[in-house]
Amino acid sequence: MASVTSSPRREACPRLVPILALGSIIEPLAHPKPGAVTRLLPQADKDVFDFALHSAAVSSALLASCEASASGEPDPVAEGLRAYRLALASLGLTRNVGLGQALITVPLAAALPISGPRPEEIARAATGIALRSTREASAEYYRLLRLLSPGHLGRYRGPLPDVGSGEPGLGLGELLRAVRWDLVASEVTGGYPVTLRALNLIVIEGGVGDRQVAEALTLVLAGAGDTLIARRWGLRAYLASRAEVIVYAGLHGAHKAMELLDRPWRARGWSPGAALDVVAAAIGLYLVSRAYR
């Protein structure tokens, strides 16, 4: 009988995880993206070099999650988030660069050794894994929030404990369902519908580059809006940003719309971080689907 280390399930991890992780590298490079880090434009607190370092932490997280899943461990999501936290600390990245990127792709990595090759199958399996995650995954997520202190994280009042006052006594899937108005949380717990639509657009557009990323980002922003903008700037900003994308894309096309919106969005401090997390996941899944051919 073959050992676990040589099984086809486990062999999927070193073969496919580096490809899935490419989304966290390619997305920050793409230009233009309104208000966001690109290869040409930084933000006040981070630039493309921070994302290059961050990609190493994402890769560690995805590999840990994939291998835990292949080995039959009970909570690969917790293993992935733990590896991500430790990698961030070792790299000295103690501010938020791409927590959403990790959160949306760790379940996808866990799905690679157990799902079929189609993106829809990977996404469906990833949601199942996330919904079965344990309290330890939620605890790791809270530890990451305390480590990184994301700028959108205000004082929480509600049925769950605030990040600074304890850890939730429920699995990560349940935790994310409690905040499913958030785009990333909704994707992880709902089968990744927006991610798959962005991926299908990338397929239609024939590859990954500036134009394809602009098309995918426009699709996400026009269809779902960006909940990170909503968190940081409120409902009016969320609605206004979505309306601007729809109008500008209708008048000028996606790529030009992203270029024209960059200056006003930077001036306002708007950055579509949640939508970009979805685009990064779509890029990774698209490249994984090509690797299966």
Side-chain angles (χ1 to χ4, degrees), residues 208-281:
V208 177
D210 287 341
R211 179 174 58 83
Q212 290 88 347
V213 171
E215 293 279 359
L217 179 57
T218 299
L219 179 146
V220 175
L221 288 172
D226 188 81
T227 51
L228 180 60
I229 290 176
R231 279 177 181 263
R232 297 194 70 171
W233 301 103
L235 182 59
R236 285 187 179 180
Y238 165 83
L239 294 173
S241 62
R242 186 178 177 188
E244 286 181 353
V245 169
I246 293 170
V247 170
Y248 274 64
L251 291 172
H252 306 287
H255 190 271
K256 190 64 176 179
M258 296 296 96
E259 179 185 337
L260 292 173
L261 288 171
D262 186 57
R263 180 173 291 182
W265 282 28
R266 282 183 198 278
R268 300 169 195 157
W270 293 0
S271 178
L276 288 169
D277 294 335
V278 170
V279 171

Side-chain angles (χ1 to χ4, degrees), residues 12-23:
C13 299
R15 183 167 65 90
L16 297 176
V17 161
I19 299 172
L20 180 64
L22 283 173

Side-chain angles (χ1 to χ4, degrees), residues 110-184:
L112 293 177
I114 66 169
S115 74
R118 297 174 61 244
E120 294 81 1
E121 295 171 313
I122 297 170
R124 185 166 56 249
T127 287
I129 290 167
L131 293 177
R132 293 191 299 273
S133 63
T134 66
R135 296 181 180 183
E136 184 56 27
S138 296
E140 282 295 341
Y141 183 56
Y142 265 49
R143 290 163 196 153
L144 280 162
L145 291 173
R146 285 194 290 270
L147 173 69
L148 301 174
S149 298
H152 64 267
L153 192 66
R155 181 72 179 176
Y156 172 80
R157 293 177 176 85
L160 302 173
D162 184 73
V163 169
S165 62
E167 294 175 350
L170 68 170
L172 183 62
E174 298 171 273
L175 176 66
L176 294 179
R177 273 185 163 173
V179 292
R180 60 183 173 270
W181 60 268
D182 175 83
L183 179 58
V184 170

